[in-house]
Amino acid sequence: MARIEDVAKRAGVSISTASRALNGHPRISPNTARRVTEAAQSLGYVASSSAYTLATGRNRNVGVVLPYIERWYFGTVLAGIESRLMRAGYDLSLYDFNGSAEQRASVFTDFLLRKHVDALITVAVRLEPHELEVLHRLDKPVLAVGGPVPGAATLRIDDFGAAKLATLHLISLGHRRIGLIGGDTASEMDFRQPETRHGGYLEAMAESGLPVSDTWFFPADFTIAGGYAAAKTALSDPRLSVSALFAASDEMAIGAVLAAKDLGMKVPEDVSIVGIDGHDLSEFFGLTTVAQSPRDQGARAAELILGVLSGDQPASPTDTLWPIELIVRSSTTRYHAP
């Protein structure tokens, strides 16, 4: 059986460099990593996971906790995390809370205590102080995607700023009666994202000197179907006369586009629509959106946690603000009075 020494010799690198390359060390150049990987494959070298665990105390396994798997945002973040971990030779253990307090508790009282994961990434899950204490006691680095968690490293977008940016885009086009399709009470996540995005909308309107009516808010559940139902209510009532809709997610915005067309309205001539996310389908629908690139967020989250495990990133809590971008497409246009 080939040894790591054989791989290093074949690749023309030191044993330590060969080992780091096969372990996905972020400071190894792509060219060196490729040479070492090719050498290992040509020699049929397979690293022993048990030997690695005994030598390092690590399992090459990162746990990921999220509330939903089937929803686009969470699945896309997860895909980014998994892709980056696989490139580094790490496995992924998925924990789906799915709104269950009992299931959530079992992760911290059972699964993590088995010490099968080296670190934990949470997605849109605010960790409680006692949950963080378990992780710190077990010396498990943790990174939270989606919002600030005191005592943990975080990676997030400015949800308030994203909503404000989307609303200001509509205002810049001359729209004054702007409806909001926002999250309902049931869709409030741990970081209160719907409430935060609602706040960004209100501040943009207030700073522009525009009044806001309670009748311009239409709650939905962050799905296409929910956005469709909310938009039908908003656009079928002539007393409201909204000329534009800001939807707090692209899926709800897509539902609004479909509702407008079913009502015989043209987008954007009769109603302008903007969303948040940068959904895979947003370009297909010509949707103006504030993109947040969740797949890239997931990959970056994995890189940050791998950096902590390798010692290249500080283990102390850091707050990384992820950039957002307004992408203007055909679903928004300048307001023309009827």
Side-chain angles (χ1 to χ4, degrees):
M1 180 180 291
R3 301 172 301 166
I4 188 66
E5 291 88 344
D6 303 318
V7 174
K9 184 176 181 180
R10 175 69 65 89
V13 298
S14 67
I15 294 174
S16 60
T17 297
S19 177
R20 285 196 294 269
L22 292 173
N23 290 329
H25 198 287
R27 288 190 178 177
I28 299 297
S29 72
N31 182 54
T32 299
R34 178 183 55 79
R35 290 192 353 248
V36 172
T37 300
E38 290 176 352
Q41 291 174 346
S42 67
L43 292 169
Y45 173 78
V46 178
S48 168
S49 59
S50 58
Y52 178 85
T53 300
L54 286 172
T56 65
R58 296 266 169 78
N59 299 280
R60 302 186 64 80
N61 191 348
V62 172
V64 177
V65 174
L66 38 71
Y68 306 102
I69 300 174
E70 68 279 5
R71 294 194 178 183
W72 176 82
Y73 169 78
F74 299 102
T76 306
V77 172
L78 180 61
I81 294 172
E82 183 178 38
S83 176
R84 183 61 186 89
L85 290 179
M86 285 183 65
R87 284 199 290 122
Y90 271 71
D91 292 321
L92 181 151
S93 291
L94 180 63
Y95 303 104
D96 175 14
F97 286 167
N98 202 22
S100 167
E102 182 180 345
Q103 200 167 347
R104 175 169 180 154
S106 69
V107 170
F108 294 93
T109 59
D110 185 9
F111 292 103
L112 291 178
L113 291 177
R114 296 177 189 172
K115 303 183 180 181
H116 287 169
V117 300
D118 301 321
L120 191 70
I121 298 174
T122 66
V123 183
V125 173
R126 180 188 288 277
L127 294 174
E128 298 296 334
H130 70 275
E131 294 171 337
L132 265 177
E133 175 59 29
V134 171
L135 294 168
H136 290 157
R137 192 168 65 246
L138 296 174
D139 195 25
K140 305 289 186 185
V142 59
L143 186 140
V145 177
V149 175
T154 57
L155 174 68
R156 61 187 178 91
I157 70 165
D158 178 1
D159 283 293
F160 187 95
K164 185 175 180 178
L165 177 62
T167 308
L168 287 174
H169 168 67
L170 294 172
I171 294 172
S172 73
L173 294 173
H175 295 280
R176 296 297 178 262
R177 298 178 68 87
I178 301 170
L180 167 65
I181 300 178
D184 55 19
T185 303
S187 64
E188 283 284 5
M189 302 300 295
D190 280 353
F191 295 114
R192 306 191 69 80
Q193 182 197 77
E195 180 181 294
T196 303
R197 292 185 180 181
H198 194 161
Y201 157 83
L202 291 174
E203 182 167 293
M205 296 290 281
E207 287 185 356
S208 302
L210 299 177
V212 175
S213 170
D214 290 341
T215 60
W216 295 352
F217 173 63
F218 308 93
D221 60 358
F222 279 80
T223 66
I224 292 176
Y228 179 91
K232 267 211 163 178
T233 300
L235 300 176
S236 60
D237 188 342
R239 295 170 300 175
L240 300 178
S241 298
V242 293
S243 66
L245 290 172
F246 159 50
S249 78
D250 277 357
E251 290 195 53
M252 293 193 293
I254 289 169
V257 170
L258 295 173
K261 291 182 177 179
D262 281 357
L263 290 170
M265 303 177 71
K266 293 182 179 179
V267 178
E269 291 86 352
D270 297 324
V271 59
S272 286
I273 299 172
V274 62
I276 292 180
D277 277 334
H279 194 286
D280 295 341
L281 293 175
S282 61
E283 185 174 8
F284 177 82
F285 281 91
L287 182 66
T288 294
T289 182
V290 178
Q292 62 167 316
S293 305
R295 186 183 183 95
D296 292 337
Q297 283 186 58
R300 181 57 179 154
E303 287 175 357
L304 289 171
I305 209 72
L306 289 170
V308 173
L309 291 173
S310 68
D312 290 332
Q313 296 284 344
S316 57
T318 56
D319 186 20
T320 303
L321 199 61
W322 186 259
I324 54 176
E325 177 187 8
L326 175 66
I327 300 176
V328 179
R329 297 195 179 101
S330 60
S331 70
T332 54
T333 192
R334 187 162 293 280
Y335 171 70
H336 297 288

